[in-house]
Amino acid sequence: MSVRGKTVVVGVSGGIAAYKICETVRLLAQAGATVQVILTRAAEEFVTPLTLQTLSGHPVARHTFDLTEESEIGHIRLADTADALLVAPATANVVAKLAAGIADDLLTTVVLATRAPVLVAPAMNVHMWENVTVQANVARLRETGRLLIEPDSGALACGYEGAGRLPEPDVLVEEVAVAVSEKSLVGRHVLVTAGPTWEALDPVRHLANRSSGKMGFAVAKVARRRGARVTLVTGPTALEDPRGIECVHVTSAREMEKAALQHAAAADCVVMAAAVGDYRPVEIARHKIKRGRGDLDLRLTANPDILARISALPGQRLLVGFAAETRDLVANARRKLQAKGVQLMVANDVTAPDAGFDVDTNVVTLIDRTGRVERLDKMSKEDVAGAILDRVRDLRAPCAALRAESRRLRPRQ
Ligand code: PMT
């Protein structure tokens, strides 16, 4: 997770959703962030400093003048060391103070003093959230460059239904990761495919494979963190659509082909992590196939090669393929690199322990057209995604330089 090694200041104000911050702090600390918590007086009515100190592993800051015993000025130190500041939950009162630039307690003072990105996650009753003054304050926060984490809709603690729920801790952590990540893909459109395809045999059965979608979803998330506009074309998986990513759901290889070709036309980079079925039944039975006395022969026909079709599209885009192999990893992946016309192939030995299908880690070898072969150690799928997107950045740089040079040399009309 890309909050590793970052310092995140978490400012908690007094709303019932403060209970979700305990888990958020735990997840941030578990992911390798240094977490400094600030509690407002009202927040202490909902969560205790002891809980948050235990979960973060650091003393909790509560009042501006608690910190003056230190040789430095405590609130400035907190503001300066932060890589990001998350205010969650932000009550209507705190939203108003932040919009007006009021600094009458430690949390609001640190927000004014920091140069780090400030993420504000409002949570309140739906009528308060819809109130014109609150909405004007929220608009002011946006104008002043605060990163707003929109509240979710649903059942609220006050008994109402509607917008105002604090998003779940994993969503808050992901938004912090977006705020602290490098931004090498700003202005780029990245298309990612993920998951398996299902090829129907009859109304109740299909041919599928073991892809969970985890690898492709990780690439999509990390590309978004790096600033890209991301479209994720995914086969059937149990994963939730990631926030901030356009998700297109498909079932069969031919549906994936249609969606991928449509979105690839405008993409700067395509990463095909999906495990596309190479074959489909020649016929789909209209009714459930009945068990007979003997064996059943199935006739299969080849599905289109989506990557090869994208590589034949007009225009320039960087193509990354995955090669799922059970033997002769590098030789087979090299063959696919050539045959499918991609710039980078991620060779994946799906028989290796903790690698391939449906696990959170992977072991891959990156192979490019220069012949460079780089075997990566076992790492999380997010870290694999980071390594792939590092290579995308490096492979794009010479292309961009070449295009700039040819524009420079082109005779003026
Ligand atoms: O989803 P997970 O559980 O996290 O598992 C991850 C993964 C093992 C699925 C992933 O890491 C992976 O290896 N994906 C590629 C699987 C695959 O289909 O490999 P392949 O060697 O059969 O295909 C080579 C490339 O061509 C792939 O980029 C594939 O998306 C693409 N392809 C394949 C067939 C087809 N008809 N059209 C294609 O575009």
Side-chain angles (χ1 to χ4, degrees):
M1 186 152 319
S2 65
V3 296
R4 193 167 47 224
K6 304 290 180 185
T7 298
V8 183
V9 174
V10 178
V12 188
S13 63
I16 180 61
Y19 79 91
K20 289 189 182 172
I21 282 308
C22 301
E23 177 65 0
T24 308
V25 166
R26 193 190 70 78
L27 289 176
L28 284 167
Q30 188 188 42
T34 300
V35 189
Q36 303 277 359
V37 179
I38 303 174
L39 283 182
T40 64
R41 272 182 211 282
E44 286 188 38
E45 301 289 332
F46 296 93
V47 280
T48 69
L50 183 61
T51 305
L52 289 162
Q53 174 171 320
T54 309
L55 292 170
S56 67
H58 294 279
V60 169
R62 298 156 69 189
H63 313 299
T64 315
F65 300 106
D66 286 354
L67 301 172
T68 51
E69 281 166 22
E70 301 169 27
S71 54
E72 321 133 275
I73 302 188
H75 63 271
I76 300 295
R77 180 184 49 78
L78 270 180
D80 284 353
T81 53
D83 291 297
L85 206 153
L86 169 68
V87 185
T91 58
N93 182 47
V94 162
V95 167
K97 287 202 271 181
L98 298 183
I102 292 170
D104 65 349
D105 62 5
L106 181 60
L107 171 57
T108 48
T109 306
V110 173
V111 169
L112 279 192
T114 192
R115 295 194 149 191
V118 176
L119 300 103
V120 182
M124 61 196 76
N125 160 272
V126 59
H127 296 161
M128 283 172 92
W129 173 246
E130 288 169 353
N131 179 284
V132 283
T133 312
V134 172
Q135 285 303 312
N137 289 334
V138 167
R140 177 80 190 130
L141 286 183
R142 280 204 193 90
E143 279 160 29
T144 51
R146 305 310 190 199
L147 305 166
L148 207 86
I149 305 177
E150 292 281 336
D152 283 345
S153 288
L156 301 173
C158 54
Y160 282 90
E161 280 279 322
R165 281 166 68 97
L166 186 68
E168 295 306 309
D170 59 328
V171 173
L172 298 177
V173 173
E174 180 59 25
E175 293 310 303
V176 173
V178 171
V180 299
S181 293
E182 56 110 325
K183 291 287 176 276
S184 55
L185 292 173
V186 171
R188 305 285 174 211
H189 178 200
V190 177
L191 167 66
V192 183
T193 66
T197 59
W198 287 359
E199 308 299 333
L201 281 167
D202 68 14
V204 299
R205 303 183 182 92
H206 57 250
L207 292 179
N209 60 64
R210 289 173 44 216
S211 172
S212 63
K214 287 180 181 176
M215 189 64 246
F217 276 56
V219 174
K221 274 170 139 179
V222 176
R224 174 184 176 237
R225 288 180 198 163
R226 295 187 178 195
R229 175 163 82 81
V230 182
T231 304
L232 175 64
V233 175
T234 174
T237 76
L239 305 176
E240 257 183 50
D241 286 2
R243 255 190 187 222
I245 290 176
E246 179 193 12
C247 293
V248 182
H249 294 271
V250 297
T251 303
S252 66
R254 281 185 300 171
E255 284 171 25
M256 185 170 279
E257 178 198 22
K258 189 169 168 223
L261 284 173
Q262 184 194 334
H263 291 280
D268 299 289
C269 173
V270 179
V271 183
M272 284 280 306
V276 186
D278 279 315
Y279 294 94
R280 66 177 186 277
V282 171
E283 272 177 34
I284 305 174
R286 270 189 62 211
H287 297 286
K288 185 179 169 200
I289 300 168
K290 295 282 178 218
R291 186 186 169 87
R293 259 187 244 130
D295 296 338
L296 174 72
D297 288 329
L298 278 180
R299 262 198 78 218
L300 303 178
T301 184
N303 271 328
D305 185 330
I306 303 173
L307 251 183
R309 292 213 52 199
I310 292 175
S311 116
L313 287 176
Q316 280 187 328
R317 63 194 64 75
L318 204 139
L319 298 187
V320 181
F322 273 70
E325 303 297 338
T326 54
R327 61 179 169 170
D328 303 330
L329 180 72
V330 173
N332 282 331
R334 273 208 182 106
R335 257 193 298 279
K336 286 181 184 171
L337 176 97
Q338 295 299 338
K340 291 173 186 269
V342 303
Q343 281 75 41
L344 181 66
M345 191 52 97
V346 183
N348 200 171
D349 176 355
V350 290
T351 63
D354 302 325
F357 296 108
D358 202 18
V359 284
D360 293 325
T361 51
N362 211 349
V363 184
V364 302
T365 300
L366 304 181
I367 303 170
D368 67 22
R369 287 189 160 260
T370 66
R372 186 174 158 202
V373 175
E374 184 188 3
R375 186 178 195 278
L376 305 181
D377 291 336
K378 181 171 95 176
M379 54 180 81
S380 70
K381 283 186 174 168
E382 282 192 5
D383 286 342
V384 171
I388 294 167
L389 293 172
D390 285 348
R391 291 293 285 275
V392 164
R393 177 196 56 212
D394 299 345
L395 288 167
R396 280 199 63 86
C399 301
L402 267 177
R403 278 201 296 277
E405 183 62 4
S406 65
R407 269 200 301 276
R408 196 178 68 76
L409 295 175
R410 204 179 294 146
R412 285 175 189 274
Q413 305 289 327

